[in-house]
Structure formats: structure tokens, C-alpha cells
DNA sequence: CTGGGGACGGGGCCC
DNA sequence: TGGGCCCCGTCCCCA
């Protein structure tokens, strides 16, 4: 019995040794295979990065080619169009007026501009050029060389150089004009998002195309896009949370700031180390890459931005730098800034420039301006990101109002309103000082000056500053004529037209 | 005279 | 109750 017990014990110990040996062997095999597997993964990742880099280089080259084509098209424009371009440049406050341009004033009532706007037509047909939102970090070190590369490409591009030129001009102007009022930029890191030029979608791209944040283009898009209306714009609103580590500027640049998505090739495998090695220490090299750089999507910066853009008060709407948390957003259309710059350049002898707007007066007299003025915003924020400026259509509107009789009329109205200020109209337009009863009225009114037209027709290229006018316009497409004359068969799409028509019957003038 | 669009004021609704 | 928001009506201008 005792022998039997000893025998069983020996067998058990032998079995245990064998089992251990087997497990060790299995694990060794697994480890070997895993090592090979990891090696392959590493090589694949390297190849992926190289390919990605090449792809981005190709993209850049193609963009350059496109820009060159655009320049050629521009160069081949008729002289009248070039003159109009000069108008636009003046509107942006760039291209400091030379001697020959100083007296260049759009004749009152000169409306051919509106009709001969090739660029506007392009926009209308939806073929406008790219619009890119760049997340630009003030932390140059962290941004790495990729940022510089992107900037240099942009700066050497004459077509996009308007951005930088205007930016420099504005900054220089602000710096020389009001040096004491410039508040130093906060030293903290901040990201600046810049709309550069216009196409339908601005895309924030992460390095891996899996994390792409599409930010709907605002204001510029024409035609039947469904992003036209503010209600529909929803800049990155639902379903478009901020991409983790969006890093447009890091194209082709595996800098330390490179953010790896969890879906990035191989990283998830690396993160979830499958090794069952007998010695179970975690290899530090296998730690997930870049997770520490992921941006917390719960911050909701984009949501806040979008809501800021269209739910803001009367003044922080257009042509200003919206400061949202740590994200500084430059919205297109720095009309007031541009005008200030222009005013200086045009000199006092330039009646249009002088009469159009003395922004400083506005600042002094308008209580709203002191807190909402884009200029103040600029002063408060050192970094002035002047992007492409108003869209061409906005330029057109702007100059229609600045330089022709319509603008004068608006200005006159503003004066009337200013002179007849009532307690009810305590919300003043920052451009013409006209008073309104509520901030929304001011906001709508200021679109006269800014050219902002948030309401786009879904069936044509038309855009409107007011929703009601869009609604009225859409009857053109539907053929609806709800207003019928009671004395004849005539029907009208607008009530005012019916009223006017009825004078035919009544004989009233 | 009509059609289309720009601009503004008033009023209702909601919070 | 006041402000914000939206819709509607109206007037005007221009083609």
C-alpha cells in the first residue's frame, strides 16, 4: 500500500514536470511567433508611414499645381476683372495702395461689377477653391517641423499669400496704430483654427484618415448645399465630435506630436500585448503609442464653437476672433478691420473711405463696441489670424454698400437713427451707429455691412441675410403666388406687389 | 407695370 | 416681466 502511494506520488511529480516543460515549450513557441509577428507589424507600420508621407507629398504637389492653374486663369482675366480684383484687395486692406490707385474709386451706380464677377460665379457653381481649417498650435516646439513646413508652403503660395499678407498688414497696423492698447497674448498654448479659403467642407484631418473631423463650411458655400443655413450648418455639431488629435499640420511629419489613433495600424496590437511569455513583464516598448496625446473629446470645443458662431449676441458674429476655451477661431470676414486699414491707406482725402466709417468714433460712441468690437478683440489677442477675408461675394456686397449709393443710403439711415435715438433703440450698430430695439435686429442689420448671408437657397445659388427674404425668394422656384388680386386675375408672390398692383385699379399713386 | 431682392419694424411665442 | 428668437408685413429700389 505504501509502495503504491509512493508510486503515485512519483508519477504525479513526473507529470507535473512534464506539464511544466510542455507549457514552457508552448510559451516559447508562442513568444517566438509573436516576436516575428511584432517584427512584421513594425515593418508594416514603417511602410505605412512612408506611404502616407508620399501620399501627402503628392497631395501638396497637386495643390500647388492647381494653384498655379488658378494663377494663370487670374493672369488671363480681362483688365476689368483685374480692376475688380484690385477692389477686393483694397477691401481686404492688403496691397497697400500705390500712387496710381489712390484715386481709384468705384463710380456710384457702377453695377457691372456685380454681374461680371467671375469668382462669384465660380462660387455659385460650387467650384470654389479649397477651404481648410488648420489647427495651429502656438506651441511651436510641440507642433514640430510639420507646422513650419505647412506654413512655408502656404506663404510661398501667392494665391494663399493673401492670408499672410493681410495678416501681416493687420498686425502691423494694429501694432503701429495703437501700440499701448495691445494686450500681450496670453502665454498659454492655444490652437487657432483658420478658415483659409472657400470650398464646401473644411476638413480637419488626423494623420490616420480614420479620424477625420468634417467641419461644415459656413457662409461661403452657395448652391444647393444643405449646409447653408445656420440651422443646418452645425459646425461639427452632432455626429462630428472633435477628432482625437486632429493634426492637419502634421501631414507627413512623424513628429513627437503625432497622434496615433487607436485604430492606427498596429498600435492596438501593440497596446494589447498578446504575449503570454512565461516571464510576464510588460515590455515598455510595447506600450500604446501616443495615447497621452489624445485630446479629450469630452471637451466639446467644437460644439461650443458652433454654438458660439450662431447663438452669439449681436456683435460677436462676424469678422471676429471667437475665443472658445483654448481654441481661438477666426471667422471669415474681417470687414471692420479691413476698413480701418483701408482708411489709413486711403487717407483723409478719400471721401468714400473717410465717410464710410470712422470706426474709432464708433468705438467711442457705441457702448456695445467697447466690449464686442472686433478691433478690440484683435487688440486683446495678439494673434490676428486674418484669413482669406470675406468671400468674393461678400466683398462684392461690401463694396456695393461702401462705395455706391446704396451704401450712402444705409449710412444716411444710420445717421438718422443715431440722431433720433430712443430709449427703445439702445442696441447700436457698430458700423453705422444705427439703433435697434434688440440685439438680433442689430445682428441682422450688421449683415448689411459685413455681407454675411447665412441663408442659402437650396435650389439655386442665392443667399440671403434674412430668413424671411429667403422664404420669399423660394416662391420663385415653387411658383407659389399666394396673393391674388380681387379685381383681376393677377396673382403675386409678394404681398407688397399685390398692394402695389391694386393701385392700378384704385388709381392711387 | 411686374418681378425680385434688400432692409426694417412689429408682434407673437417661449424661457 | 423682459429678453431672445422667429415670422411676417411692409416699403423701397432696381431691372
Amino acid at each position: 500500500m505504501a509502495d503504491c502511494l509512493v508510486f503515485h506520488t512519483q508519477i504525479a511529480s513526473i507529470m507535473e514536470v512534464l506539464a511544466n516543460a510542455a507549457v514552457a515549450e508552448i510559451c516559447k513557441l508562442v513568444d517566438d511567433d509573436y516576436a516575428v509577428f511584432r517584427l512584421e507589424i513594425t515593418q508594416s507600420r514603417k511602410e505605412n508611414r512612408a506611404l502616407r508621407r508620399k501620399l501627402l507629398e503628392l497631395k501638396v504637389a497637386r495643390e500647388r499645381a492647381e494653384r498655379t492653374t488658378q494663377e494663370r486663369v487670374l493672369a488671363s482675366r480681362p483688365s476689368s476683372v483685374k480692376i475688380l480684383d484690385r477692389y477686393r484687395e483694397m477691401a481686404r486692406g492688403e496691397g497697400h495702395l500705390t500712387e496710381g490707385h489712390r484715386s481709384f474709386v468705384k463710380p456710384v451706380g457702377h453695377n457691372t461689377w456685380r454681374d461680371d464677377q467671375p469668382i462669384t460665379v465660380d462660387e455659385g457653381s460650387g467650384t470654389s477653391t479649397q477651404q481648410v481649417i488648420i489647427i495651429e498650435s502656438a506651441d511651436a516646439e510641440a507642433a514640430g517641423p510639420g507646422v513650419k513646413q505647412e506654413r512655408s508652403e502656404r506663404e510661398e503660395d501667392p494665391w494663399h499669400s493673401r492670408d499672410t499678407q493681410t495678416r501681416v498688414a493687420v498686425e502691423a497696423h494694429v501694432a503701429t496704430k495703437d501700440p499701448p492698447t495691445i494686450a500681450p497674448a496670453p502665454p498659454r498654448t492655444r490652437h487657432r483654427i483658420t478658415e483659409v479659403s472657400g470650398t464646401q467642407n473644411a476638413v480637419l484631418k488626423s494623420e490616420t484618415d480614420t479620424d477625420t473631423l468634417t467641419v461644415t463650411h459656413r457662409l461661403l458655400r452657395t448652391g444647393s448645399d444643405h449646409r447653408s443655413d445656420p440651422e443646418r450648418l452645425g459646425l461639427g455639431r452632432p455626429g462630428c465630435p472633435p477628432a482625437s488629435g486632429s493634426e492637419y499640420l502634421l501631414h507627413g511629419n512623424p513628429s513627437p506630436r503625432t497622434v496615433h489613433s487607436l485604430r492606427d495600424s498596429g498600435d492596438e496590437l501593440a497596446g494589447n500585448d498578446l504575449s503570454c511569455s512565461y516571464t510576464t513583464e510588460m515590455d515598455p516598448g510595447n506600450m500604446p503609442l501616443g495615447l497621452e496625446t489624445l485630446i479629450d473629446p469630452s471637451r466639446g470645443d467644437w460644439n461650443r464653437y458652433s454654438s458660439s458662431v450662431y447663438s452669439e449676441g449681436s456683435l460677436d458674429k462676424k469678422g471676429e476672433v471667437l475665443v472658445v476655451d483654448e481654441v481661438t477661431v477666426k471667422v471669415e470676414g474681417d470687414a471692420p478691420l479691413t476698413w480701418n486699414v483701408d482708411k489709413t491707406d486711403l487717407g483723409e482725402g478719400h471721401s468714400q473711405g473717410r465717410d464710410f466709417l470712422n470706426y474709432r468714433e464708433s468705438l467711442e460712441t457705441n457702448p456695445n463696441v467697447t466690449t464686442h468690437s472686433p478691433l478690440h478683440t484683435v487688440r486683446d489677442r495678439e494673434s490676428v489670424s486674418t484669413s482669406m477675408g470675406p468671400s468674393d461675394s461678400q466683398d462684392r456686397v461690401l463694396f456695393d454698400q461702401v462705395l455706391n449709393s446704396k451704401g450712402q443710403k444705409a449710412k444716411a439711415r444710420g445717421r438718422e437713427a443715431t440722431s433720433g435715438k430712443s430709449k427703445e433703440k439702445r442696441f447700436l450698430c457698430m458700423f453705422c451707429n444705427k439703433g435697434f430695439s434688440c440685439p438680433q435686429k442689430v445682428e441682422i442689420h450688421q449683415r448689411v455691412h459685413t455681407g454675411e448671408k447665412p441663408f442659402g437657397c437650396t435650389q439655386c445659388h442665392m443667399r440671403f441675410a434674412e430668413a424671411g427674404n429667403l422664404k420669399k425668394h423660394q416662391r420663385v422656384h415653387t411658383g407659389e403666388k399666394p396673393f391674388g388680386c380681387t379685381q383681376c386675375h393677377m396673382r403675386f408672390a409678394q404681398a407688397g406687389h399685390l398692394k402695389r398692383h391694386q393701385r392700378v385699379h384704385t388709381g392711387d399713386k
Side-chain angles (χ1 to χ4, degrees):
Chain A
M1 192 62 184
D3 290 343
C4 187
L5 191 62
V6 169
F7 180 70
H8 277 289
T9 306
Q10 288 174 348
I11 286 182
S13 63
I14 290 170
M15 289 290 288
E16 186 178 347
V17 170
L18 287 175
N20 286 341
V23 168
E25 192 164 343
I26 291 171
C27 285
K28 185 172 180 299
L29 288 173
V30 170
D31 280 353
D32 291 344
D33 289 344
Y34 182 69
V36 173
F37 184 49
R38 280 191 56 79
L39 185 64
E40 290 176 356
I41 288 173
T42 305
Q43 289 174 349
S44 298
R45 286 173 57 192
K46 287 178 182 174
E47 290 171 2
N48 279 342
R49 285 175 185 163
L51 289 173
R52 220 176 285 149
R53 206 169 301 145
K54 285 182 182 177
L55 181 64
L56 291 169
E57 287 170 0
L58 286 174
K59 281 182 181 176
V60 170
R62 193 175 57 189
E63 287 174 3
R64 282 182 181 166
E66 288 174 358
R67 290 170 193 164
T68 307
T69 306
Q70 287 176 341
E71 289 163 22
R72 285 183 191 147
V73 170
L74 274 178
S76 63
R77 283 185 183 179
S79 59
S80 60
V81 178
K82 289 178 182 174
I83 291 172
L84 298 178
D85 288 342
R86 174 69 60 183
Y87 268 123
R88 294 183 204 149
E89 290 173 4
M90 290 164 60
R92 295 187 183 100
E94 62 187 71
H96 303 288
L97 295 179
T98 59
E99 194 64 26
H101 296 124
R102 217 169 254 283
S103 61
F104 188 77
V105 180
K106 183 187 177 192
V108 173
H110 176 70
N111 290 326
T112 56
W113 183 13
R114 188 183 195 96
D115 297 328
D116 298 336
Q117 279 279 4
I119 290 184
T120 302
V121 171
D122 287 345
E123 286 183 356
S125 60
T127 58
S128 54
T129 54
Q130 295 182 348
Q131 177 181 14
V132 180
I133 289 187
I134 298 171
I135 292 185
E136 196 173 325
S137 173
D139 188 351
E141 280 186 10
V147 175
K148 294 173 184 173
Q149 178 185 342
E150 180 72 18
R151 278 179 176 165
S152 61
E153 285 172 3
R154 208 161 276 290
E155 284 165 3
E156 73 189 43
D157 182 353
W159 181 252
H160 285 82
S161 64
R162 290 177 173 186
D163 303 350
T164 52
Q165 285 175 6
T166 311
R167 178 173 171 177
V168 168
V170 171
E171 285 179 342
H173 174 73
V174 172
T176 56
K177 194 80 179 173
D178 300 295
T181 60
I182 300 173
R188 61 192 171 93
T189 299
R190 81 177 160 251
H191 302 279
R192 186 167 54 232
I193 299 173
T194 304
E195 286 186 20
V196 177
S197 62
T199 107
Q200 301 140 9
N201 287 335
V203 177
L204 289 176
K205 253 182 168 231
S206 74
E207 187 188 37
T208 73
D209 286 330
T210 55
D211 287 342
T212 298
L213 171 62
T214 299
V215 180
T216 309
H217 159 51
R218 70 178 284 248
L219 300 179
L220 300 182
R221 178 72 185 107
T222 57
S224 59
D225 74 53
H226 296 275
R227 302 169 293 263
S228 302
D229 292 358
E231 298 84 359
R232 289 175 293 180
L233 272 170
L235 278 157
R237 200 171 260 172
C240 291
S244 296
S246 302
E247 47 165 359
Y248 179 86
L249 291 178
L250 298 179
H251 276 187
N253 173 37
S255 70
R257 271 182 67 85
T258 299
V259 177
H260 294 266
S261 160
L262 279 176
R263 285 180 254 176
D264 201 359
S265 57
D267 285 336
E268 53 187 335
L269 290 174
N272 303 322
D273 198 331
L274 298 177
S275 172
C276 63
S277 172
Y278 225 35
T279 58
T280 55
E281 315 94 49
M282 191 63 140
D283 179 5
N286 292 341
M287 294 296 286
L289 296 177
L291 288 179
E292 70 279 2
T293 61
L294 290 175
I295 295 173
D296 180 9
S298 64
R299 286 176 59 193
D301 290 340
W302 286 96
N303 287 338
R304 270 180 278 172
Y305 164 49
S306 59
S307 64
S308 294
V309 170
Y310 281 110
S311 65
E312 194 70 26
S314 62
L315 299 168
D316 284 341
K317 282 291 230 177
K318 180 115 188 89
E320 76 274 55
V321 179
L322 294 176
V323 180
V324 184
D325 196 30
E326 287 194 341
V327 178
T328 302
V329 179
K330 169 67 179 65
V331 182
E332 285 206 59
D334 267 341
L337 276 173
T338 303
W339 292 339
N340 270 285
V341 173
D342 271 358
K343 192 167 86 71
T344 303
D345 290 337
L346 290 169
E348 288 300 311
H350 196 294
S351 61
Q352 306 274 12
R354 185 189 63 229
D355 287 344
F356 166 62
L357 170 66
N358 189 330
Y359 196 69
R360 196 170 299 278
E361 283 181 11
S362 174
L363 292 177
E364 291 168 356
T365 57
N366 188 343
N368 292 335
V369 177
T370 57
T371 54
H372 298 285
S373 153
L375 185 57
H376 277 241
T377 308
V378 167
R379 287 170 179 167
D380 293 340
R381 313 282 302 183
E382 177 195 72
S383 140
V384 179
S385 170
T386 304
S387 63
M388 192 68 176
S391 70
D392 292 318
S393 60
Q394 288 174 329
D395 281 352
R396 187 188 64 210
V397 173
L398 182 146
F399 268 95
D400 280 344
Q401 285 150 359
V402 171
L403 298 177
N404 67 15
S405 57
K406 211 169 183 178
Q408 300 295 330
K409 185 184 69 178
K411 185 181 59 185
R413 285 180 187 166
R415 283 192 187 134
E416 287 174 11
T418 303
S419 61
K421 277 181 193 172
S422 65
K423 286 183 180 179
E424 295 296 321
K425 298 182 176 182
R426 54 199 171 99
F427 299 96
L428 303 180
C429 171
M430 60 194 299
F431 299 97
C432 65
N433 265 359
K434 182 173 183 180
F436 294 87
S437 57
C438 64
Q440 286 70 37
K441 304 287 185 186
V442 179
E443 177 194 338
I444 292 173
H445 161 79
Q446 285 183 159
R447 293 177 188 155
V448 170
H449 304 291
T450 64
E452 181 183 5
K453 293 185 175 183
F455 304 97
C457 177
T458 57
Q459 299 179 55
C460 72
H461 68 281
M462 290 294 296
R463 303 192 66 80
F464 300 89
E466 297 186 30
N469 287 340
L470 170 61
K471 189 174 181 181
K472 189 167 61 176
H473 157 79
Q474 284 177 327
R475 293 191 191 124
V476 173
H477 300 300
T478 63
E480 183 189 7
K481 292 187 175 182
F483 308 99
C485 178
T486 56
Q487 300 179 43
C488 71
H489 67 282
M490 291 288 289
R491 300 194 68 83
F492 302 90
Q494 298 185 25
H497 289 170
L498 170 61
K499 191 174 180 180
R500 185 179 62 186
H501 160 78
Q502 285 177 328
R503 295 187 199 134
V504 174
H505 300 300
T506 62
D508 293 340
K509 288 186 177 179

